[in-house]
Structures are given as structure tokens and as C-alpha cells.
Amino acid sequence: MDISAYMADVGQKARAAATAVARSSTAERNDALLAMADALDASRDALTQANRQDLEAGRENGLEPAMLDRLELTPARIDAMIEGLRQVASLPDPIGEITGMSYRPSGIQVGKMRVPLGVIGIIYESRPNVTVEAASLCLKSGNATVLRGGSESLHSNQAIAACIAEGLRKVGLPEEAVQVIKTRDREAVGKLIAMPEYVDVIVPRGGKGLIERISRDARVPVIKHLDGVCHVYVDSHADPEKALAIAVNAKTQRYGTCNTMETLLVDAEIAADILPLLARAFEEKGVELRGCDRTRDILANVASATEDDWHAEYLAPILAVRVVDGLDAAIAHINRYSSQHTDAIVTENYTRARRFLTEVDSSSVMVNASTRFADGFEYGLGAEIGISTDKLHARGPVGLEGLTSQKYVVFGDGHIRS
Amino acid sequence: MDISAYMADVGQKARAAATAVARSSTAERNDALLAMADALDASRDALTQANRQDLEAGRENGLEPAMLDRLELTPARIDAMIEGLRQVASLPDPIGEITGMSYRPSGIQVGKMRVPLGVIGIIYESRPNVTVEAASLCLKSGNATVLRGGSESLHSNQAIAACIAEGLRKVGLPEEAVQVIKTRDREAVGKLIAMPEYVDVIVPRGGKGLIERISRDARVPVIKHLDGVCHVYVDSHADPEKALAIAVNAKTQRYGTCNTMETLLVDAEIAADILPLLARAFEEKGVELRGCDRTRDILANVASATEDDWHAEYLAPILAVRVVDGLDAAIAHINRYSSQHTDAIVTENYTRARRFLTEVDSSSVMVNASTRFADGFEYGLGAEIGISTDKLHARGPVGLEGLTSQKYVVFGDGHIRS
């Protein structure tokens, strides 16, 4: 197979389909999503069979149990894909919204119209349900999409792609509006991220290694989500009950998510009072603490934190703890070690809360709330394609709006510039 | 000079200064801009002298007269720089604006806060007044900036930099908030665009060659403005008077700007009536026409347009003219040949106007107005750092907002996720 020619063909078809999708009505796109849901529902056997092929090959190739688990399309996961499509169909259409129309002294009227980005490339790893999730969000926002899933889920993804194509066909939208790459060849990824003429943006979803590689090599803009080294700072003016509840929730509500707290900062003024309470709560949850020297002066049994611990995204029941001298030291630590994902302060002090909000340069900054809230659904975006740790375009949880752009529209009545 | 070490030092200082600028108050940044204006006013002799050095070297090196003209700092141009600084100081501060705060079912309150991008690198060519313009917009929007001007204007830029530094010093902001690169070595540009740890975005201002090179090699996001191949489509339902006024204005009001019309499309239904009127008007202005075969059937003396003409950004009194079969053909031509900068329709037909607005994928789309209006000042942005032909982040004229980002802010009262 000539990968260059194949990907150029995919790209061309995507570009052509993008024009058709951009012109389609809200109802057409929603109907396509509902028709995809119906097609998935009617194809449960085919999906399960294709998935079984992937699972068998995975076992033969010695895939780890965790990978095999993510790969599996259980009946419940098929239900979730179907339900997801119906939910996306029910979201408001972001496309076409015109805002800010106002008259200028010259007499022209100027505003902005929300429009699709065009063609979105999504690169992801093992979970085949991402195929449906990514395709539905891109279509809803008026874009064409090229999907490249994990090579271990190729059969499952192709079976899902057949249902997506059926849905598009039913409403008369071009099937090429959603293309799932048919080859396992890694060269296809290299091509996909280097075709600015056909692809407008790449959204990689997966481990840090994948995302770093893609960001480095891409010739197309990337909406990327690197790591989540999130902090909670317990200020000396914190309400101890809130501090305890937030710290425990931010760390233990789920360990493996990017908005989980990885480092706890405690103001020296209250460290001796609150650290023992926090330590007890974390012990009950089975969380291992790694502390700075001042933490260990208070908590005798805590292991010593090294420089690496301040940088660590554990994604595990481990927590780094540091005693800091007040707000300035806390902000300095966060702006140095945070991955600029989500950071929170616990305080009752108005001025400190305001300073933390202004001076911490992260995509989500919180006062008296758990970092675990940093999520597209919790923020009311209705959907989430990922969480961006970039500053340009989309920052923080990315919903449908992050897959759109705004162009200027100008209304005149024969106006000319003088 | 070790360019790597020098640029790393510049980058580190810029990053540190960015934190200080981000924390500064609106009044401090405005006062700095006004102090810079005063310093320029008090340094007219030094500026003229430094500029004379550049002009003499330029003449010795055989710079073209047009380049020498752009390089010159006349008293009027120094006045304009001073006036520009005072105008930027008087603009509203974009930083800190909080929008969309709303309560979620969980009880948290979520919204967005506008924040600086951080460090902005600006790469530009001969005109030294860009130094003041770029520095002032970046500072106003709370960013630190690293400026790399044309090597032929090094002395002028350093003299301007001294005034900028004086302004910053006066209000107690770090001088490194605006750094003008002190070397002519081209390697400095290569380093500047490959330091994502120190530079958040690059804005290149200059010819297409410069911008293409930077976009290709950058390891940092680029807000770029490539070319302006702008169209006016005269629909069969156009008011002939408006069509004539708009076409002539879009082409002839200024020839060398990116929002000047380069191709005129005329609906076949009215071509025989309106083309002779248009031809006469353009002849009076001395504009050379290059037409398709159908244009030449109507206008006997017009030269034949080749495929290259549809792609051409003439920036000169030359205009490509094509007769098209209605709206669909016009949109197809535009979406194929336009540089997605600015395109306009002249029509009295509601449905056609609406379709043109929706289906033309350009950063500015206009109805019954001259493409020459595509400009940050005309759009009311108050300032313009450039016009972006990208789709992500900023599209079309980029004002202060384009130099900012939005982060999420979350207010809770001890809220945890369940």
C-alpha cells in the first residue's frame, strides 16, 4: 500500500466533505447522529464479532490485561456509545451564531460568525469508543474528521466506521465526512499531521509520549493536553473543614485522572494544626505521602520528597506535600512546577483568593473547590474532546466551541472606504 | 557572540518579566506607555542620529530607495510613534475581564477570565516604527515581548528600545518586559522561534517569504498573515451603482494593501451590461485588466488571464476579471483561489447574501461593502497587530484580544465532586 497516496486521497476527500458538512443544516447533522446511533444498535453482533478479532489478536500479541480491558466492547459500552450519540444530537448547534454586530462610524455593521474549523484529525490509542465520541463532536460542530485509532483496535474501529457511514448516508451527507484510517502503518500518522492543505487541526488523545511526539512533528496546529500536575494550596485563612474535604476529594475521588491533585501545599502558619488531620484522612484512604523537610518535622512517618516529586503526575495513591511560607511562596511553587492544568486555593481571605485567581497561570484556577471539577461536563460544555494545556485557541476543557472558529461578517449598503 | 546563550538569556528574562507585567495594574501599564511617549519626545535628536547611521549604512550596502524610505525616521514618523503610544494607553484594558460566570448543578460557579499570553516574539522587517507599535500592544495586553527587527534598522531600533526601557523603568516595571534583540545574526531568529519554554507565540510581520519560513521552522505557535487574494463578486441582483463604487474602491483606494481586491467576479447574467462600465472606471484609474475568455468576448482590449492570475496577489494596478455562472460558481472560485482573507458579494438578494456569508470560508466575509474595510481600526478593535489568515485562536484583524487567552475560574464554598 502506498501510504502517501492513500493519505493524500483521504485528505482530499475530507476537504471536499468538510465543505458539504459546513453547509449542512442543524437538523441534517443531528439526524445523522441519531441514524448512527440506530446503526450501532442494529449492528451489535457485527461490532462484538469485530471486537473479538481484535481481542484475540491482542491476547496473541501479549497485550497487557489493562489494555485488553480498554479494548473490549462490552454490551454496556455499546449502550454508552449509542447514548453518547443521542446526547450530542441534543446539544445546541454552535455553528452560525452571530455575535457582537455593531455599527462603526463608517456606517458598516461588523460582528463575528461561528464557523467550523474544517477538517479535524484525531489520533488516539486503544479505546474504540473514542471513534464514536470524536466523530460525533466533530460532525456536530460542522467539521469533517479523519480518525486514526490504535492499531490493536483496527477491526472494532472499522465496524464502528461502517455504522457511522450508514448514518451519514441516510441523511445524504458524504460518507467521507468521517474517515477511519484503514491501515496500521505508522507512516499514516506522520502523513496525517503534515498535510496542512487538507487538515486544519490535530487533536491527539493518549499518553504523554504520543502527544509530545505529535506536537514535535506536526506541521498542522495541535490542540494538546499534556500532563496534569495539579495543586491545592491550603492557606492559613482556610476553613479547616473545607480544606480537609477538598484535599481528600481532589486526591482520592479518582486517582488516574488529569485533574487529580498531585501536590498539596500548606501554609506554614497552620501546618502544625492541619497536617496531622490531613495525614490521618489520607492514611484512611491508603494514600502514601511524600513530604518536604518541614512536613516531616510535623509528620514523623512521611517519606522524603525529592525534586522529582514536585514534577510528578503520579496518577496513583501518592501525594507530594510541601509546607510553604504563605501565598507568595505557594504561587511561586505552582507557577514553577504546575503543568498549568488546574490549581486551587482554600481560603476565606478575599484578597488572597483574588491574588491567587489573578497570579496563577493555569487553565483552571479555583477557590474553595476540588480540582476534580475541571471537566467539560462539570463546566457545562455538554461534551469534551479533551482538556487543552495550550494557551492559544482553546484553554482548559474543550467542548464543541473549541472545534470552531469565528470569522468576521460585515454588512454594508454600498459602503466604500475613504 | 554565543547566540544560543544570548537568546536563552533573553528568553529567561522575558519569562520572568512576563510574570511581573501580568501582575501589574492597568494604571502602571498605561503610565509606562505614556512615559515611553515622553522619552521618545525627549530623544528626537538621538533617534534621528541613530537612524542616520542606519540610512548611511543602507545606502552603502545598496538598499533600494523604497527600503531606504521605509527605514527613515522623519520628524512626522516620530510624532506618529508618540501619538500611537498615547492612543494605546487610552484603549480599554482587556486583561482581567471575567465573563459568563454561572452556577452549575454541582453548586460551583464557573466563568472565564481574560489573561495575557505571556511572552510574545515579534519578527519584522525594515520599518523601525513597528518596534514601538508591537511593544505597546504587547505591554497593554499584559505580555512581555521580544522584538527582532530588520538588521538594516538595528541602530534605530536600539535607540527606540532605550526610550521604551526608560518608560518601563519610570513606573517600576522590569526593563526586560520589552527586549529588542541586539544582534544582526540570523541564528537569533532561529532560536527565538524554537524556545517554547520561553516564548508563547510568534507574530511575524513582513513579506510572504519571511512568514512561510518562520511558519515552517517554528516550534512555537505562530499568528500568521500570509497573502490577501481578495474577491468581489457582483451578483446579477446587484445594484449597479453599489457594484461600481465597491469594485473601484476595493481595487483602487490603495493598491499595496492585503485587503485590496485582486480578482473581480461578475455574474454572467449581467456581465454584458456592467463589465463595460467597470472597464471604463478602471481605465480612468489606470488599472490593467486581465480577463477570462468570456470577459474578453465583452471587453475586446483586455489581456488574457492565465491560471496564475487567479492566484495572484498583485499589490499593483492590475485586476483579474472572471465571468461566472451565478452564485455557486462564484463561491466555488473563491473557496478555491481565495487566500481566505476577505471576500465580498454585491447583491440585493437576501438568500444569496445569506448563502455567501455562510459558504465563503474567509476571515472576513462582506455584503455590499468594500474589502478595504477589513482592518482592525475599521472594525473597532482600537489597534491591530496584524491580520491572521489562520483559523485557530485569532482569525482576521488581530487587536489586543488576540494577544490574550482565557482561563477558567471556579468559585466554590468547599465544594467537592461526588
Side-chain angles (χ1 to χ4, degrees):
Chain A
M1 186 178 200
D2 179 345
I3 301 291
S4 277
Y6 170 66
M7 289 306 295
D9 182 57
V10 166
Q12 262 164 23
K13 286 177 175 158
R15 180 59 79 208
T19 306
V21 176
R23 288 179 189 188
S24 65
S25 68
T26 308
E28 280 171 322
R29 278 176 277 129
N30 289 341
D31 287 349
L33 293 168
L34 296 174
M36 289 173 193
D38 292 344
L40 283 174
D41 200 17
S43 311
R44 288 171 181 271
D45 288 350
L47 292 168
T48 308
Q49 213 170 326
N51 187 242
R52 204 171 293 141
Q53 273 188 277
D54 285 334
L55 288 169
E56 276 165 23
R59 270 182 221 107
E60 276 169 32
N61 295 328
L63 272 195
E64 286 176 36
M67 281 280 270
L68 285 171
D69 176 59
R70 278 188 290 190
L71 184 51
E72 193 173 355
L73 278 182
T74 60
R77 284 184 181 165
I78 296 175
D79 288 345
M81 290 196 294
I82 294 168
E83 182 50 30
L85 281 164
R86 291 182 179 146
Q87 274 174 15
V88 173
S90 73
L91 292 174
D93 186 357
I95 295 304
E97 176 202 37
I98 296 184
T99 48
M101 287 304 299
S102 64
Y103 282 97
R104 298 290 311 147
S106 64
I108 60 170
Q109 197 184 7
V110 184
K112 283 181 169 186
M113 182 192 281
R114 194 166 288 287
V115 293
L117 285 174
V119 176
I120 298 175
I122 316 255
I123 298 164
Y124 50 105
E125 291 174 332
S126 47
R127 295 187 302 124
N129 52 324
V130 173
T131 308
V132 164
E133 209 178 293
S136 63
L137 296 178
C138 291
L139 183 70
K140 178 82 189 189
S141 51
N143 297 287
T145 173
V146 179
L147 298 153
R148 157 73 184 208
S151 58
E152 63 289 344
S153 48
L154 189 72
H155 292 105
S156 312
N157 286 339
Q158 291 299 332
I160 292 170
C163 298
I164 293 174
E166 195 182 320
L168 290 164
R169 217 164 30 229
K170 265 213 177 122
V171 302
L173 283 172
E175 286 181 33
E176 294 81 9
V178 179
Q179 294 179 81
V180 179
I181 291 176
K182 291 194 167 72
T183 169
R184 286 197 172 88
D185 197 318
R186 283 194 155 220
E187 204 193 327
V189 174
K191 294 287 171 208
L192 180 62
I193 64 176
M195 308 193 295
E197 65 279 30
Y198 301 131
V199 177
D200 295 293
V201 60
I202 293 285
V203 183
R205 293 181 50 163
K208 199 176 171 184
L210 171 82
I211 292 169
E212 280 180 338
R213 211 162 51 241
I214 285 169
S215 304
R216 196 186 54 228
D217 299 336
R219 298 272 333 272
V220 173
V222 177
I223 297 178
K224 67 173 172 293
H225 165 207
L226 284 169
D227 41 3
V229 182
C230 303
H231 297 73
V232 172
Y233 166 58
V234 179
D235 181 57
S236 63
H237 289 201
D239 173 326
E241 270 183 47
K242 292 177 190 170
L244 217 64
I246 289 168
V248 170
N249 185 263
K251 182 69 225 181
T252 71
Q253 203 249 342
R254 268 179 77 186
Y255 293 112
T257 56
C258 56
N259 54 19
T260 298
M261 166 177 67
E262 302 290 14
T263 298
L264 175 68
L265 302 172
V266 179
D267 193 334
E269 276 191 43
I270 52 150
D273 295 327
I274 203 160
L275 271 180
L277 304 175
L278 285 161
R280 196 178 318 139
F282 284 120
E283 192 176 50
E284 273 170 25
K285 296 278 186 178
V287 175
E288 175 196 337
L289 303 184
R290 298 185 186 171
C292 67
D293 288 346
R294 295 163 81 182
T295 302
R296 296 171 73 221
D297 287 344
I298 298 163
L299 304 174
N301 297 325
V302 163
S304 180
T306 66
E307 178 72 11
D308 283 350
D309 285 297
W310 311 130
H311 289 284
E313 185 184 24
Y314 300 115
L315 301 172
I318 308 172
L319 178 67
V321 184
R322 188 171 201 174
V323 173
V324 293
D325 290 315
L327 183 63
D328 284 310
I331 292 173
H333 178 101
I334 290 171
N335 282 342
R336 175 162 177 198
Y337 294 103
S338 163
S339 63
Q340 304 193 300
H341 186 299
T342 301
D343 298 291
I345 185 174
V346 187
T347 190
E348 296 301 310
N349 182 292
Y350 164 83
T351 300
R352 291 187 195 174
R354 208 155 162 263
R355 277 197 56 208
F356 190 90
L357 280 177
T358 307
E359 296 181 21
V360 169
D361 187 22
S362 300
S363 72
S364 287
V365 188
M366 304 184 169
V367 180
N368 293 344
S370 167
T371 55
R372 287 280 297 124
F373 282 113
D375 172 298
F377 295 94
E378 293 293 337
Y379 284 2
L381 306 183
E384 182 186 289
I385 192 95
I387 295 183
S388 165
T389 52
D390 292 323
K391 284 187 184 175
L392 262 72
H393 189 65
R395 197 174 185 193
V398 182
L400 291 172
E401 242 185 41
L403 302 177
T404 68
S405 169
Q406 286 183 301
K407 68 183 180 193
Y408 283 97
V409 291
V410 176
F411 297 135
D413 189 38
H415 286 81
I416 60 172
R417 193 163 161 190
S418 53
Chain B
M1 186 178 201
D2 179 345
I3 302 291
S4 277
Y6 171 65
M7 289 305 296
D9 182 58
V10 166
Q12 262 164 23
K13 286 176 175 158
R15 180 60 79 209
T19 305
V21 176
R23 288 180 189 188
S24 66
S25 68
T26 307
E28 281 171 321
R29 279 176 278 129
N30 289 341
D31 288 348
L33 293 167
L34 296 174
M36 289 174 194
D38 293 343
L40 283 174
D41 199 18
S43 311
R44 287 170 182 272
D45 288 349
L47 290 168
T48 308
Q49 212 170 325
N51 187 241
R52 203 171 294 141
Q53 272 188 278
D54 286 333
L55 287 169
E56 277 165 23
R59 269 183 222 106
E60 276 170 34
N61 295 327
L63 272 196
E64 288 176 34
M67 282 279 270
L68 286 171
D69 176 59
R70 277 187 290 189
L71 185 51
E72 193 173 355
L73 278 182
T74 61
R77 283 183 182 166
I78 296 175
D79 288 346
M81 291 196 294
I82 294 168
E83 182 50 31
L85 281 165
R86 291 181 179 147
Q87 274 175 15
V88 172
S90 73
L91 292 174
D93 186 356
I95 296 303
E97 177 203 36
I98 296 183
T99 48
M101 288 303 299
S102 64
Y103 282 97
R104 298 291 310 148
S106 64
I108 59 170
Q109 197 184 6
V110 184
K112 283 180 169 186
M113 182 192 280
R114 194 165 289 286
V115 294
L117 285 174
V119 176
I120 298 175
I122 317 256
I123 299 164
Y124 51 105
E125 291 175 334
S126 47
R127 295 188 302 124
N129 52 324
V130 174
T131 308
V132 164
E133 210 180 292
S136 64
L137 296 178
C138 291
L139 183 71
K140 178 81 188 190
S141 51
N143 297 286
T145 173
V146 179
L147 297 153
R148 157 72 184 208
S151 58
E152 62 289 346
S153 47
L154 190 72
H155 292 104
S156 311
N157 286 337
Q158 291 300 332
I160 294 170
C163 298
I164 293 174
E166 194 182 322
L168 290 164
R169 217 164 31 228
K170 262 208 179 125
V171 302
L173 283 173
E175 286 180 33
E176 293 82 8
V178 179
Q179 294 178 80
V180 179
I181 291 176
K182 290 194 169 72
T183 169
R184 285 197 172 89
D185 197 317
R186 284 195 155 219
E187 204 192 326
V189 174
K191 294 286 171 210
L192 180 61
I193 65 175
M195 308 193 296
E197 64 278 31
Y198 301 131
V199 177
D200 294 292
V201 62
I202 293 285
V203 183
R205 292 181 52 163
K208 199 177 172 185
L210 172 81
I211 293 169
E212 280 179 338
R213 211 162 52 241
I214 286 169
S215 305
R216 196 185 53 226
D217 298 338
R219 297 274 331 272
V220 173
V222 178
I223 296 178
K224 67 170 170 295
H225 165 208
L226 284 169
D227 40 5
V229 181
C230 303
H231 297 73
V232 172
Y233 166 58
V234 179
D235 181 56
S236 63
H237 288 201
D239 173 325
E241 271 183 47
K242 291 178 191 170
L244 218 64
I246 288 168
V248 170
N249 186 263
K251 182 68 226 180
T252 71
Q253 202 249 343
R254 268 181 76 187
Y255 293 112
T257 55
C258 56
N259 54 20
T260 297
M261 166 177 67
E262 301 291 13
T263 298
L264 174 68
L265 302 173
V266 179
D267 193 335
E269 276 190 42
I270 53 150
D273 295 326
I274 203 160
L275 271 179
L277 304 175
L278 285 161
R280 196 176 319 138
F282 284 120
E283 193 176 49
E284 274 171 24
K285 295 278 185 179
V287 175
E288 174 197 338
L289 303 185
R290 298 186 187 171
C292 67
D293 289 346
R294 294 164 82 183
T295 302
R296 296 173 72 223
D297 287 344
I298 299 164
L299 304 175
N301 297 326
V302 163
S304 179
T306 65
E307 178 72 12
D308 283 351
D309 285 297
W310 312 130
H311 290 285
E313 185 184 22
Y314 299 116
L315 302 171
I318 307 171
L319 177 67
V321 184
R322 188 171 201 174
V323 173
V324 294
D325 290 314
L327 183 64
D328 284 311
I331 292 173
H333 178 101
I334 290 171
N335 282 341
R336 175 162 178 199
Y337 294 105
S338 163
S339 64
Q340 305 193 301
H341 187 298
T342 300
D343 298 291
I345 185 174
V346 187
T347 191
E348 295 301 311
N349 182 293
Y350 165 83
T351 300
R352 292 188 195 176
R354 207 155 164 262
R355 276 195 59 207
F356 190 89
L357 280 178
T358 308
E359 296 180 22
V360 169
D361 187 23
S362 300
S363 72
S364 286
V365 187
M366 304 185 169
V367 181
N368 293 344
S370 167
T371 56
R372 287 280 297 126
F373 283 112
D375 172 299
F377 295 94
E378 293 293 337
Y379 284 1
L381 305 183
E384 182 185 289
I385 191 95
I387 294 184
S388 165
T389 52
D390 292 322
K391 285 188 182 173
L392 261 71
H393 189 64
R395 197 174 183 192
V398 181
L400 291 172
E401 241 184 43
L403 302 178
T404 67
S405 168
Q406 287 183 301
K407 69 183 180 192
Y408 282 98
V409 291
V410 176
F411 296 135
D413 188 37
H415 286 82
I416 59 172
R417 193 161 161 191
S418 53

